[in-house]
Amino acid sequence: MSRTIEVCLTPALLHLYNIENSIVVVIDILRATSSITYGMDNGAEAIIPVAQVEDCLAYAEKGYLLAAERNGEVVVGYDFGNSPFSYTKEKVASKTIVLTTTNGTKAMHMAQERAHQVVVGSFLNLTSLCNWLKVQDKDVLLLCAGWKDKFNLEDTLFAGAVVNVLRKDFVHFDDACVAAEDMYVLAKDDLRGYLKKSSHNHRLEQLNIEEDVKFCLKVDMCKVIPVLEGERLIPLML
Amino acid sequence: MSRTIEVCLTPALLHLYNIENSIVVVIDILRATSSITYGMDNGAEAIIPVAQVEDCLAYAEKGYLLAAERNGEVVVGYDFGNSPFSYTKEKVASKTIVLTTTNGTKAMHMAQERAHQVVVGSFLNLTSLCNWLKVQDKDVLLLCAGWKDKFNLEDTLFAGAVVNVLRKDFVHFDDACVAAEDMYVLAKDDLRGYLKKSSHNHRLEQLNIEEDVKFCLKVDMCKVIPVLEGERLIPLML
């Protein structure tokens, strides 16, 4: 196999990549793909990512759990927000959750239009994800959800972590792989410290989600790989 | 002054940035902005960047020098190609040159539509450029020309070099600044060695332009700062 692995640094660049025969890993570390991974690992039956809080309303009657935040606060009438700590066994086991996430949902839907398969990655399922990607006979595109179509550090660091693990199993790498991997190697011993360099850091501190950030940077707490089937993320059968 | 410096990793992301009051530095290290800097430092009166070889023809009668390559070969009937070694005093002093460059021209023209001012940067004029940017009362956007709208290492490394020099003079940085600067710090002692990691490296070796690459990575050989006035790049009056 002469497989290619590439990093798409923001959804605004996705049109440049041929993904028809690729597995696309959507990465939105703070906090969508981390919460999704944790919730599914805790037994959520399905998670439906939507872009706008209003989009949740259509699902209200179905008895689904609704997760949405505005400015770091749980939206009135919703079951919980976007903190991974909300996605505990007690709350989500065998439930379907509708999750509001702007950047992550956009990336998933854009990828789904063309990709062979769309899965979700986060530090929480790093090794499980890489072990699976290793044995697929497919090219891989690591799609960073970014921040309003701009490059961000946390998603790129995770892409670099995946490249670092899979380097020996892929033949072709693009320049973004090289950059992402080098950033990850530089940051891996203190991911949280590295992210303090980020322009988002001030925003994160304002949102008072420091514990969320630390949690989203924990490695390999989960085994599950969420895969997008239609509008639903479900656990990939391993 | 509370100035912002940002790095736009490819022209495909330029629409995300407010540049109406910014100086945009266009970066196309291999080889357009390096050759432009060197040629202007050697006394070229003006350099007109065009996107296609065919675009040069309109200038043929004006007695301008025409520079164009196809697959690494000088186009038949043209004066020289895109190698910086072509832009010597003997050849370019007090001449106007029409230079074909796909990625660089695209970036310059896109920036010109909205930016306060568009200048050209390369390792050859790093310090001169940074000293000038320091004393302007303007935000700065470092625009990497990239490769066919994709991220590339060499342009990002130069953006990182500029951020590294200007860090103390600017208050606000975006995530791309952090990444570019860290890559530069990692690579600065052996820029050519670092670029061997690049997907372009194989292409560069095929084009047999190794000497060009080494030349384009030389730091501070030139003082000139080319500035875009209409369709012409001319020396900025310092």
Side-chain angles (χ1 to χ4, degrees):
Chain A
M1 287 192 298
S2 163
R3 290 184 295 167
T4 297
I5 184 165
E6 297 174 299
V7 175
C8 181
L9 295 168
T10 102
L13 299 177
L14 185 59
H15 64 282
L16 300 172
Y17 297 84
N18 299 321
I19 55 174
E20 286 66 17
N21 191 41
S22 301
I23 296 167
V24 174
V25 179
V26 174
I27 303 164
D28 187 0
I29 296 301
L30 300 178
R31 297 167 286 172
T33 59
S34 303
S35 294
I36 288 165
T37 304
Y38 187 57
M40 201 149 286
D41 206 60
N42 281 331
E45 189 175 279
I47 297 179
I48 302 171
V50 298
Q52 303 296 333
V53 171
E54 293 66 23
D55 302 335
C56 291
L57 300 177
Y59 298 94
E61 298 85 11
K62 302 185 179 179
Y64 296 164
L65 292 174
L66 304 185
E69 281 186 8
R70 280 267 168 91
N71 310 317
E73 299 290 329
V74 176
V75 176
V76 178
Y78 283 62
D79 301 288
F80 43 81
N82 296 340
S83 168
F85 295 112
S86 304
Y87 295 74
T88 56
K89 275 193 176 52
E90 298 64 32
K91 286 187 177 167
V92 305
S94 66
K95 297 276 180 45
T96 293
I97 303 147
V98 183
L99 167 68
T100 312
T101 157
T102 313
N103 300 306
T105 297
K106 177 182 177 182
M108 286 184 233
H109 289 168
M110 285 176 69
Q112 189 172 33
E113 290 173 15
R114 294 191 288 124
H116 167 72
Q117 195 168 27
V118 178
V119 298
V120 158
S122 69
F123 285 102
L124 298 173
N125 69 347
L126 173 61
T127 298
S128 175
L129 173 69
C130 290
N131 288 340
W132 178 74
L133 290 171
K134 250 181 225 182
V135 296
Q136 307 308 307
D137 185 11
K138 291 289 177 194
D139 294 330
V140 170
L141 182 75
L142 304 170
L143 174 56
C144 301
W147 180 252
K148 296 182 178 176
D149 273 347
K150 286 186 177 176
F151 170 93
N152 80 25
L153 287 181
E154 63 272 17
D155 296 344
T156 308
L157 282 180
F158 177 73
V162 174
V163 172
N164 192 243
V165 174
L166 295 179
R167 173 161 285 288
K168 299 174 303 304
D169 301 282
F170 286 75
V171 174
H172 305 292
F173 301 82
D174 65 357
D175 277 15
C177 281
V178 175
E181 185 181 18
D182 282 342
M183 286 166 60
Y184 169 71
V185 170
L186 199 64
K188 66 182 179 187
D189 296 332
D190 180 13
L191 289 169
R192 182 63 190 106
Y194 190 83
L195 288 186
K196 288 191 191 299
K197 295 173 148 200
S198 171
S199 55
H200 301 327
N201 196 58
H202 184 58
R203 180 176 55 84
L204 297 179
E205 287 172 347
Q206 283 180 317
L207 288 177
N208 192 24
I209 58 169
E210 180 60 26
E211 291 311 308
D212 285 12
V213 175
K214 286 181 188 158
F215 187 85
C216 293
L217 299 175
K218 287 178 186 285
V219 177
D220 292 340
M221 285 186 59
C222 307
K223 290 261 180 294
V224 72
I225 303 171
V227 59
L228 192 60
E229 298 284 351
E231 68 171 7
R232 297 169 164 253
L233 288 159
I234 59 173
L236 184 69
M237 291 304 158
L238 296 172
Chain B
M1 289 192 296
S2 164
R3 291 185 295 168
T4 297
I5 185 165
E6 297 174 298
V7 174
C8 181
L9 294 169
T10 101
L13 299 176
L14 185 59
H15 65 281
L16 301 171
Y17 297 84
N18 299 321
I19 55 174
E20 286 67 18
N21 192 40
S22 300
I23 296 166
V24 174
V25 178
V26 173
I27 303 163
D28 188 1
I29 296 301
L30 300 178
R31 296 164 289 173
T33 60
S34 302
S35 294
I36 288 165
T37 303
Y38 187 58
M40 201 150 282
D41 207 61
N42 281 331
E45 191 174 276
I47 297 177
I48 302 173
V50 298
Q52 302 296 332
V53 172
E54 294 66 25
D55 302 335
C56 292
L57 301 176
Y59 297 94
E61 299 85 12
K62 301 184 180 180
Y64 296 163
L65 293 175
L66 304 185
E69 281 187 7
R70 280 267 167 92
N71 310 316
E73 299 290 328
V74 177
V75 176
V76 178
Y78 283 62
D79 300 289
F80 44 81
N82 296 340
S83 168
F85 295 112
S86 305
Y87 295 74
T88 57
K89 275 193 176 51
E90 298 63 34
K91 285 187 177 165
V92 306
S94 65
K95 298 274 178 48
T96 293
I97 303 148
V98 182
L99 167 68
T100 312
T101 158
T102 314
N103 301 305
T105 297
K106 177 182 176 181
M108 286 184 233
H109 289 167
M110 285 176 70
Q112 189 172 34
E113 290 173 14
R114 293 191 289 123
H116 167 72
Q117 195 168 28
V118 178
V119 298
V120 158
S122 70
F123 285 103
L124 298 172
N125 69 349
L126 173 61
T127 297
S128 176
L129 173 69
C130 290
N131 287 341
W132 177 74
L133 290 171
K134 251 182 223 181
V135 295
Q136 308 306 306
D137 185 11
K138 292 287 175 195
D139 294 331
V140 170
L141 181 75
L142 304 170
L143 174 56
C144 300
W147 181 251
K148 296 181 178 177
D149 274 346
K150 285 187 177 177
F151 171 93
N152 80 27
L153 286 180
E154 63 272 19
D155 295 345
T156 308
L157 282 180
F158 176 73
V162 174
V163 172
N164 193 242
V165 174
L166 295 180
R167 174 162 283 288
K168 298 176 303 304
D169 300 283
F170 287 75
V171 174
H172 305 291
F173 302 82
D174 65 357
D175 277 14
C177 281
V178 175
E181 185 182 19
D182 282 341
M183 286 167 60
Y184 169 70
V185 170
L186 200 64
K188 65 182 179 189
D189 295 332
D190 180 14
L191 290 169
R192 181 63 190 105
Y194 191 83
L195 288 186
K196 288 190 191 299
K197 296 173 149 199
S198 172
S199 55
H200 301 327
N201 197 58
H202 184 59
R203 182 176 55 83
L204 297 179
E205 288 172 345
Q206 284 180 317
L207 287 177
N208 191 24
I209 59 169
E210 180 61 25
E211 291 311 307
D212 284 13
V213 175
K214 287 181 188 159
F215 186 85
C216 292
L217 299 176
K218 286 179 186 286
V219 177
D220 291 342
M221 285 186 60
C222 307
K223 291 259 180 295
V224 71
I225 302 171
V227 59
L228 192 59
E229 298 284 352
E231 68 171 7
R232 297 167 164 253
L233 289 159
I234 58 174
L236 185 69
M237 291 305 158
L238 296 172

